[in-house]
Amino acid sequence: MLDLLLVAALSGAVVYLLMHRALRRTSRQLIELTASEARFRDLTELSADWFWETDAQHRITWISAGGSVATFFGSMPTFGKRLWEVPRVEVEPRALEAHLQRLREQLPFFDLEIQRTDERGARLIHIISGQSRVTPHGQFLGYRGVGRDVTEQRRAERAVFEAKERVELALDGGNLAEWHFDVQRDEFYAGDGWVRFLGHGRSPAVGKGAMLFDMMHPEDRERSRSIMVRALKGELQEYVDEFRVPTRTGEWKWLQARGRVVERDAEGRALRVSGTIADIDSRRRAETALQEAEQRYRSLVDLAPNGVMVHSGGVIAYANPAAARLLKADSPAQLVGLKIDALFHPSDLPRVRERLRGLLAAPSAIGFEERHLRCLDGSEIIVEAAAVSFLERDHLAVQAVFRDVTEERRARQALAEREQRFRDVVHASGEYVWETDAQWRYTYLSERVEAVLGYARNDLLGRTPHEFMPLGEAHFPDTKTPFREVVRRSITKSGGVIWQSVSGVPRLDAAGALIGYRGTAADVTARKQAEARIEYLATRDALTGLPNRALLTDRAGQAILTAARSRTQLAVLCVDLDRFKLVNDSLGHQAGDALLRAVADRLQNALGREDTLARLGGDEFVLLWNGLKSAEDAAVLAQRVLSILARPFTVEGNTLNVGASIGISVYPNDGRDFAELLKNADAALYDAKENGGGTWRLFAPALNVRAVERLRMENELRGALARSELVLHWHPVVRGRGQVVGAEALVRWNHSSRGLLLPEDFVPLAEECGLIRAVGEWTLERALSQAGAWHRKMPGRAWFAVNVSAPELAQGDAYVEKIEACLRANSLEGSCLEIEVTERVLMSSLAENVETLRRIGALGVRFAIDDFGTGYSSLAYLRRLPIHKLKIDRSFLRAIDSHAADEAIVRAIAAMAGTLGIAVAAEGVESEAQLKRLLALGCEEWQGHYFSAPLDAAAFETLLLNVSTGSASAGAGSAG
């Protein structure tokens, strides 16, 4: 038992001793490891390099300390982040992509460049390299690696690169390239520039010394090699040679090499040669070309048709064969040695000597001048001569060139005499001469044109005749055939319109191509006025000035043809005074004539320009009314005529009440020609007379019912104002493609039985029955009231337009005050309102309307010409009015994208408006094609169903709000 205890004790002691020794050894190793780690950390902190480790997800787990690490990362947190995720650390994207690929494959990587801009804006650059870490069992632990600060290295490299670039730029700027030859190593280096001379991209870095000589032209090689050898031996201070080398395309190019020995050994042997190469190909080619040109020049001078002489000191030293021929010499040698003064006519000598003094004072030149020369046979010729002086062997010589123009001068004199005779004849006839190019642009005009058109000739040159014609005037014929007495209207500088009779012939070149026109033109205004007067007298009633039966028949025939083509109607009204015979019998024929004139004046003032009022004789008048929409319109017109004639007339101090009876026939229902229509209207007139007079009758009795219906509509319209049945709709005005800038207020009639009526259904009726003024005032008040509400809700969002009629404008100051009061009542500026007026309304009383509109304009209100292009052809009124906008009528837009004439009209209107500083708008835009053409032609604003139909107030307000948020566009509102 004791033995066992003893063995156990001994075993325990041995185990204790072994464990104690192991613990001491482990402790020593730990101390050594700690010291080693401390030494490593001290070394890393002192090293310019820095070290790092990452985990398997490439997140930084350790970075060594040190100045470079602190400088690069600063106070930025790094642990737990990937290197490229550290704030403000940048890696070039392609390098990062390649780096990530190597990381995925756990491959080592080298010199990955990372950059960071510190707080002062300095750029720091480091490179890192790394190796993957794995366990003994192959488990990937991450990467371990080293980083290095290469900021200064990169800066140095950049400085070297920039210095080299500056040298290269300097050499390139001087068309030079550098070269170096290491004699000991037999190595030749050339800069990039010299191979660019030869069409290559870059030169080889190093070549053999014989490379340059091997490239040279065989004729240059040995000479250049010899010069190089002499320079190497020190016999020449510089190596300078010009030689040819082949370009990339195989052509030979001249280069010039310059160099000198820059390094020798102790025994004086050349070690290195440096220099430059210059491209002198252009210079050498120029020298060769100059030599060839001199030879060609001498040959050309000898063969030239013009005389050439060189004289020095007043003595002829050289003459070409042409000079000998012109001066009647047997040969050029006969002229050599003669004094130059002997060849000039005595009258030219003073001028010639003055010119020679100037030439001999310094090298100079004299242009061609006319001179008289004496030939060797005693005859005289006229020449055009020019001279130039130049230095030759240190003294000035003069070379003269001359040509014989004797026959040319005689022909020119004869031509001038003929031209003067022609000018005298043309001037006496009152015509002027014109000439144009193929595009009808004036290239020549005689003085007479200034008296005819009032423009200076310089103002007309380069412009076309059509620019001075009223709109709609036909162009001159574009043909190769002559034309005679084509009569066209022209606008003078003062704005007047004259008639010109133009005749012309085409101008063709040698190949028969048209190059222009020339001809004459004369003012025939007086003749046209005389013809118009004669025509007027032949077609007018002598008493009233109205058209007579002949003119009425002609106009009716034309109107019927137009109506047949357009499938429209027209009416013939026969008007007969009821008590005219009583006036004649009681007051005499003089009073009767005065009454007829008063009736004619009253009816004419009430009719439209396109209608025709004629007197057939006695007290019978005939009214031809175009543009009839229905027979009811004719009945309304008849009633209106009766109302006009029912008002008393004052004749020779007597107040006369005369009524009238009217008979009506309508084309095509009541007749196919004028004779039949007139006969049927007479029959209807007889029926009216039979029924007591003072009334009208339609040829078709059934139409009476419709006429009554129209009268009923008139009564209903009178009540509509009182019953507040009128409403306003708003038609958006668009600028560009979708910017709503305003709206036009359009009146509608909410009829109790017929529903919503459009303006064309009741506005004409309102005009005829005198209600248009009341309708217009209601529209103005209601439109500005609504506009005021919108401006308070959406300030400055849009402006609003209202239409104005002739009766409203005729109020003058009262209408101006009405507008001012409405603006003030609704707190609106005048710029919020635009007045639209048609050409017909405007021209009804032009002088008064102009003054009214100017006073309205003083309020800041703008106004536009509506339906422009459908009214008066004379545009002179545009200069008299404060017009801000022209609205192109919708009729020109229907086929603008397919009909060249409509496009040309719109283009002309836009160009004219642009010249006058007037805006252009269009109405009736229905398609993208129309809009695209309008915008291209310069139309700034437009309306139409392509954007939106007229909207009620609520819908328009919604549209304005949508547009302000960008949710509306062209076509989007067309469903409205």
Side-chain angles (χ1 to χ4, degrees):
M1 186 67 177
L2 290 172
D3 292 338
L4 292 174
L5 292 172
L6 181 59
V7 170
L10 289 173
S11 298
V14 170
V15 169
Y16 171 77
L17 289 174
L18 290 175
M19 289 182 64
H20 180 69
R21 291 183 64 183
L23 286 172
R24 289 182 64 186
R25 185 169 55 251
T26 301
S27 177
R28 284 197 304 270
Q29 289 176 347
L30 182 60
I31 292 170
E32 290 174 357
L33 180 62
T34 302
S36 175
E37 182 179 353
R39 285 194 300 273
F40 175 74
R41 291 185 182 276
D42 292 339
L43 287 174
T44 57
E45 289 178 1
L46 295 173
S47 173
D49 295 341
W50 51 276
F51 305 90
W52 53 269
E53 285 186 0
T54 66
D55 60 15
Q57 284 74 42
H58 310 297
R59 293 178 298 224
I60 298 171
T61 59
W62 175 74
I63 291 182
S64 66
S68 60
V69 173
T71 301
F72 186 75
F73 291 107
S75 60
M76 293 294 176
T78 56
F79 290 98
K81 297 184 180 293
R82 297 172 179 87
L83 273 171
W84 55 89
E85 293 176 348
V86 175
R88 300 171 69 175
V89 171
E90 301 173 10
V91 183
E92 198 274 324
R94 285 180 296 181
L96 179 60
E97 183 180 350
H99 176 66
L100 293 176
Q101 180 62 34
R102 297 189 69 83
L103 294 183
R104 285 192 288 271
E105 297 175 7
Q106 299 179 9
L107 297 175
F109 62 89
F110 304 95
D111 295 340
L112 173 66
E113 186 173 287
I114 60 176
Q115 301 184 35
R116 180 176 176 271
T117 302
D118 64 15
E119 292 75 5
R120 297 170 301 170
R123 195 77 166 171
L124 305 177
I125 305 173
H126 285 221
I127 57 173
I128 60 173
S129 302
Q131 176 73 41
S132 61
R133 297 186 299 119
V134 296
T135 66
H137 302 292
Q139 179 182 359
F140 177 65
L141 297 177
Y143 272 83
R144 170 185 296 125
V146 63
R148 174 172 295 172
D149 184 353
V150 294
T151 304
E152 294 303 322
Q153 178 184 338
R154 291 291 188 267
R155 289 174 182 166
E157 290 172 354
R158 181 64 185 174
V160 171
F161 176 76
E162 290 175 351
K164 184 178 179 182
E165 266 196 338
R166 286 194 294 272
V167 172
E168 292 288 348
L169 283 173
L171 291 173
D172 286 346
N175 202 23
L176 299 171
E178 61 176 317
W179 62 272
H180 307 279
F181 177 36
D182 189 325
V183 181
Q184 276 189 321
R185 297 181 181 178
D186 191 26
E187 291 179 349
F188 179 81
Y189 164 79
D192 293 342
W194 83 280
V195 291
R196 286 198 294 273
F197 298 158
L198 308 181
H200 301 289
R202 293 183 63 86
S203 65
V206 178
K208 288 295 183 181
M211 179 183 72
L212 178 62
F213 299 109
D214 292 342
M215 293 174 60
M216 291 182 185
H217 194 282
E219 296 176 2
D220 304 329
R221 188 177 301 146
E222 290 305 319
R223 183 193 70 251
S224 186
R225 193 191 305 272
S226 174
I227 296 173
M228 174 62 79
V229 170
R230 293 179 63 194
L232 292 176
K233 290 180 178 181
E235 297 175 7
L236 296 176
Q237 190 172 0
E238 267 192 329
Y239 163 71
V240 181
D241 190 29
E242 296 179 359
F243 49 83
R244 289 161 289 178
V245 293
T247 65
R248 188 173 63 176
T249 59
E251 299 177 350
W252 293 101
K253 173 173 278 194
W254 282 95
L255 301 178
Q256 182 190 65
R258 283 181 173 273
R260 64 175 58 194
V261 177
V262 296
E263 185 179 353
R264 294 181 183 274
D265 62 12
E267 299 177 0
R269 287 191 295 267
L271 298 179
R272 189 159 55 89
V273 184
S274 295
T276 60
I277 294 178
D279 182 355
I280 61 168
D281 192 66
S282 298
R283 192 199 76 195
R284 290 298 296 256
R285 292 182 185 277
E287 291 172 354
T288 302
L290 179 60
Q291 294 172 358
E292 294 173 352
E294 289 176 351
Q295 184 60 40
R296 286 196 301 271
Y297 173 73
R298 182 169 292 276
S299 300
L300 288 173
V301 168
D302 288 341
L303 297 173
N306 294 336
V308 179
M309 293 190 300
V310 178
H311 58 88
S312 178
V315 177
I316 298 174
Y318 168 81
N320 72 341
R325 175 173 48 79
L326 293 175
L327 295 173
K328 308 298 190 296
D330 295 333
S331 67
Q334 191 176 359
L335 295 175
V336 175
L338 293 179
K339 287 190 173 295
I340 194 69
D341 287 358
L343 297 177
F344 288 98
H345 191 277
S347 61
D348 285 349
L349 274 177
R351 181 64 172 166
V352 170
R353 288 169 179 162
E354 180 186 344
R355 293 296 196 187
L356 281 175
R357 283 194 294 271
L359 288 170
L360 295 175
S364 55
I366 299 173
F368 279 97
E369 295 180 348
E370 191 172 288
R371 296 283 180 262
H372 293 75
L373 296 184
R374 285 180 170 179
C375 300
L376 297 189
D377 65 355
S379 61
E380 292 185 2
I381 60 173
I382 303 172
V383 300
E384 282 186 343
V388 60
S389 60
F390 57 93
L391 281 172
E392 185 179 51
R393 291 187 290 274
D394 297 330
H395 68 277
L396 283 169
V398 177
Q399 177 174 296
V401 180
F402 59 95
R403 61 189 183 93
D404 187 355
V405 295
T406 307
E407 294 302 321
E408 181 181 330
R409 289 294 178 269
R410 291 172 182 166
R412 187 181 297 177
Q413 181 64 31
L415 178 62
E417 292 174 357
R418 288 196 299 271
E419 184 175 339
Q420 187 58 47
R421 286 196 297 271
F422 174 74
R423 290 178 183 275
D424 293 342
V425 171
V426 170
H427 185 73
S429 66
E431 298 179 339
Y432 64 87
V433 180
W434 56 268
E435 191 171 289
T436 72
D437 59 16
Q439 285 73 44
W440 280 98
R441 295 186 291 255
Y442 284 125
T443 57
Y444 170 78
L445 288 159
S446 63
E447 294 180 5
R448 176 68 182 170
V449 72
E450 297 182 355
V452 174
L453 292 178
Y455 291 95
R457 284 186 290 175
N458 288 340
D459 295 338
L460 297 171
L461 294 177
R463 302 174 68 180
T464 65
H466 196 68
E467 294 180 48
F468 303 93
M469 295 180 184
L471 286 178
E473 195 74 5
H475 287 267
F476 290 106
D478 269 332
T479 65
K480 290 186 179 181
T481 58
F483 56 90
R484 289 181 57 82
E485 297 184 355
V486 175
V487 179
R488 294 288 186 270
R489 291 179 299 160
S490 296
I491 301 175
T492 65
K493 187 175 183 179
S494 63
V497 178
I498 65 171
W499 291 89
Q500 292 194 86
S501 176
V502 184
S503 299
V505 295
R507 297 164 50 223
L508 308 177
D509 62 13
L514 180 70
I515 60 173
Y517 301 86
R518 66 164 57 95
T520 61
D523 183 355
V524 294
T525 305
R527 189 188 79 191
K528 291 291 291 184
Q529 289 173 344
E531 291 173 353
R533 180 61 180 167
I534 292 171
E535 181 183 358
Y536 179 86
L537 295 174
T539 58
R540 298 286 172 165
D541 173 53
L543 177 63
T544 61
L546 296 175
N548 59 16
R549 182 182 291 271
L551 181 56
L552 176 65
T553 302
D554 179 66
R555 290 186 180 178
Q558 296 175 17
I560 289 172
L561 289 175
T562 301
R565 283 195 297 266
S566 59
R567 297 184 179 181
T568 57
Q569 302 180 68
L570 59 86
V572 175
L573 284 72
C574 287
V575 181
D576 190 80
L577 301 182
D578 287 341
R579 289 178 290 278
F580 179 71
K581 186 175 183 301
L582 177 61
V583 174
N584 259 348
D585 293 343
S586 59
L587 300 178
H589 289 284
Q590 185 174 350
D593 291 346
L595 175 61
L596 291 175
R597 285 192 292 268
V599 169
D601 290 342
R602 189 176 289 183
L603 289 178
Q604 269 191 307
N605 291 333
L607 299 178
R609 181 181 291 270
E610 66 275 13
D611 303 326
T612 299
L613 176 66
R615 177 173 176 252
L616 301 188
D619 61 343
E620 185 176 0
F621 296 85
V622 174
L623 172 61
L624 177 65
W625 192 35
N626 297 302
L628 188 70
K629 294 182 179 178
S630 63
E632 296 92 324
D633 292 344
V636 171
L637 177 64
Q639 186 63 45
R640 182 181 174 195
V641 171
L642 291 178
S643 300
I644 291 171
L645 297 180
R647 298 198 302 269
F649 290 89
T650 300
V651 176
E652 296 182 350
N654 300 296
T655 300
L656 305 177
N657 290 289
V658 291
S661 299
I662 302 175
I664 308 168
S665 63
V666 178
Y667 173 85
N669 297 334
D670 300 335
R672 292 290 179 174
D673 57 35
F674 178 62
E676 186 177 2
L677 289 171
L678 186 60
K679 181 188 68 174
N680 293 339
D682 272 334
L685 174 63
Y686 179 79
D687 183 59
K689 289 281 189 182
E690 284 293 309
N691 285 277
T695 187
W696 51 266
R697 285 291 183 271
L698 289 165
F699 178 71
L703 296 181
N704 283 321
V705 177
R706 297 180 186 175
V708 171
E709 173 63 18
R710 190 171 182 85
L711 291 175
R712 186 178 65 82
M713 278 283 290
E714 176 182 338
N715 292 329
E716 290 178 348
L717 179 58
R718 293 181 185 276
L721 288 166
R723 294 189 297 270
S724 300
E725 293 178 357
L726 298 183
V727 295
L728 286 182
H729 279 197
W730 305 85
H731 202 182
V733 178
V734 184
R735 178 174 292 136
R737 286 197 164 271
Q739 181 187 3
V740 176
V741 295
E744 180 182 3
L746 301 174
V747 66
R748 301 286 192 263
W749 181 5
N750 195 6
H751 195 276
S752 58
S753 59
R754 297 176 60 183
L756 194 66
L757 300 182
L758 299 179
E760 54 265 29
D761 296 326
F762 65 93
V763 168
L765 177 62
E767 290 176 342
E768 292 172 6
C769 65
L771 290 175
I772 191 63
R773 177 176 162 184
V775 172
E777 289 180 355
W778 179 91
T779 301
L780 178 66
E781 292 172 357
R782 185 59 57 89
L784 291 185
S785 174
Q786 180 64 73
W790 279 332
H791 270 268
R792 287 188 294 273
K793 187 174 183 179
M794 297 174 285
R797 185 65 53 80
W799 48 261
F800 302 94
V802 297
N803 293 276
V804 62
S805 63
E808 292 173 89
L809 273 184
Q811 298 175 74
D813 289 340
Y815 186 62
V816 178
E817 293 169 1
K818 179 71 174 178
I819 292 177
E820 185 177 9
C822 288
L823 290 171
R824 187 169 53 251
N826 294 285
S827 301
L828 289 172
E829 297 291 336
S831 59
C832 297
L833 177 62
E834 182 174 283
I835 298 295
E836 292 188 7
V837 57
T838 65
E839 290 179 285
R840 179 181 297 182
V841 168
L842 184 64
M843 298 299 291
S844 60
S845 298
L846 182 60
E848 294 81 4
N849 289 342
V850 167
E851 188 57 30
T852 300
L853 291 172
R854 282 179 177 161
R855 289 198 294 272
I856 295 174
L859 302 176
V861 176
R862 296 170 291 118
F863 86 93
I865 301 297
D866 198 10
D867 300 334
F868 184 78
T870 61
Y872 288 76
S873 60
S874 175
L875 301 177
Y877 71 89
L878 291 178
R879 297 179 302 162
R880 303 176 53 190
L881 296 173
I883 299 171
H884 297 87
K885 185 189 299 180
L886 300 180
K887 292 188 68 175
I888 302 171
D889 185 70
R890 67 181 63 242
S891 61
F892 298 120
L893 270 61
R894 295 191 183 102
I896 189 173
D897 54 337
S898 60
H899 198 286
D902 287 349
E903 182 178 341
I905 291 172
V906 174
R907 181 185 292 107
I909 293 174
M912 176 193 64
T915 302
L916 296 175
I918 300 173
V920 179
E923 53 187 357
V925 178
E926 306 293 342
S927 68
E928 172 63 21
Q930 291 175 342
L931 176 58
K932 187 176 181 181
R933 292 306 304 147
L934 282 171
L935 294 178
L937 293 172
C939 182
E940 299 97 335
E941 298 176 357
W942 56 280
Q943 297 170 257
H945 283 69
Y946 181 60
F947 183 87
S948 173
L951 306 170
D952 60 28
F956 180 73
E957 181 174 333
T958 301
L959 176 64
L960 272 182
L961 293 172
N962 287 341
V963 169
S964 69
T965 59
S967 59
S969 60
S974 60

